[in-house]
Amino acid sequence: CLKKNGILVFTLTDTNDLIFENSKKIGKNTYISNYQNQKGVILFAVKENAELKKYIEHFTVIDAGFFSHKLNKKLSKHSVFILKK
């Protein structure tokens, strides 16, 4: 549990990210990666901003954004969040 006034910094993979091409869905928003050196990694991603909001509604958003780049001509995209409890 994050303590009161604690800061949480994290990235969230976009479901259109290249890592999902060979990933298998194992639950709601949960996937297991089969991508190159990340085989077996469990991934969590949401498709809609409205769904993401319910996960962070108990935090104050200090900053949020995204970064993306292309690897092997395929898009890699992640959202970035800095939140305060």
Side-chain angles (χ1 to χ4, degrees):
C1 288
L2 190 63
K3 293 180 181 180
K4 186 176 180 179
N5 295 319
I7 303 292
L8 175 63
V9 179
F10 72 98
T11 66
L12 187 64
T13 307
D14 189 281
T15 54
N16 295 316
D17 188 273
L18 61 90
I19 198 169
F20 287 95
E21 286 183 354
N22 297 314
S23 297
K24 180 180 177 185
K25 189 169 186 171
I26 58 173
K28 185 179 179 187
N29 302 326
T30 310
Y31 304 78
I32 190 160
S33 175
N34 195 31
Y35 184 78
Q36 296 177 5
N37 64 340
Q38 296 182 12
K39 289 182 181 177
V41 171
I42 296 175
L43 306 166
F44 179 82
V46 295
K47 290 186 178 184
E48 304 293 331
N49 283 340
E51 188 174 5
L52 175 60
K53 286 180 183 177
K54 77 177 183 181
Y55 289 104
I56 64 172
E57 68 184 5
H58 299 291
F59 294 88
T60 300
V61 177
I62 296 171
D63 202 359
F66 74 93
F67 66 91
S68 64
H69 59 278
K70 285 192 174 185
L71 287 170
N72 299 324
K73 299 180 182 177
K74 297 180 181 178
L75 182 65
S76 179
K77 183 178 177 186
H78 298 265
S79 298
V80 182
F81 298 91
I82 302 173
L83 308 173
K84 185 175 182 180
K85 182 74 176 181

